Amino acid sequence: RKEVEQDPGPFNVPEGATVAFNCTYSNSASQSFFWYRQDCRKEPKLLMSVYSSGNEDGRFTAQLNRASQYISLLIRDSKLSDSATYLCVVPNTGGFKTIFGAGTRLFVKA
Amino acid sequence: DTAVSQTPKYLVTQMGNDKSIKCEQNLGHDTMYWYKQDSKKFLKIMFSYNNKELIINETVPNRFSPKSPDKAHLNLHINSLELGDSAVYFCASSQTGFMDTQYFGPGTRLTVL
C-alpha cells in the first residue's frame, strides 16, 4: 500500500457543483494532515490543515477518519478559480519527512 | 516581499554539465527542503536541512549535493547532469520541522538536452 493515495481524477464539474476528494494514508501514527493546492506551473500552497476530526474554511471542508485512515476534502459551490491540483500531505513521523500524494486534478467549467 | 525565492527559474543545459540552483527564505524558518516534481507531477522529497544540518537525504544519486551556508539558504548542486534529471525542483521552508506548514519557492524548471 502506498504511503499516501489520492483519487486520481481528473474531476470535471460545472460551476456551483459540490465535489469531494479522498485520500488514504498508511501510517496510523500520523497526527496532522494538510491539503495543498497547486495551480498549473506554480508552486504548491497550503489550502488547509487538519489536526483533529476536521476543519472548515468557507466553501472548503476537510474531514479526518482515523479509524479508516482517510482524509477527505469537500468543495461546495465550485468556482472556476478552484480549478487546480489538490495535494494530500501527510507528515511521516517515522521517517521525519512529509509525504505528498500524487494529487487530484479538478476542472471547474462554466 | 518574496518569502521563498529560487534562482534561476528556468535552466536548460546539456547532458554532462554541472549546474546549481539557489534558494533563500526570509521567513526566519529553521527547516528547508528540496523537492523534485517529475513529468507525472509527483512531488518527492530529496533533502531536508534543519539549522544548516542535514536531516533527510532520500535515495538521491550522489551527483546531487545540497549545501546550506546558513539557515536562510539552501543550494543544490548537480554534477554530470542526465536526461532523467529534467524536472521542476522546488525549494521549501517550514518554521521548525516537517510537521509544520511548508512554504514553497516558485520552482526551477530544469531541462537537460
Side-chain angles (χ1 to χ4, degrees), chain B residues 19-51:
Chain B
K19 290 293 177 187
S20 290
I21 308 172
K22 295 188 175 182
C23 177
E24 176 180 1
Q25 54 97 2
N26 62 7
L27 297 167
H29 287 170
D30 289 341
T31 304
M32 295 185 74
Y33 312 82
W34 276 112
Y35 286 89
K36 178 179 180 181
Q37 189 168 45
D38 58 27
S39 57
K40 293 182 181 176
K41 309 298 182 188
F42 196 60
L43 199 64
K44 198 165 180 187
I45 183 79
M46 299 173 70
F47 302 102
S48 168
Y49 271 73
N50 180 274
N51 277 313

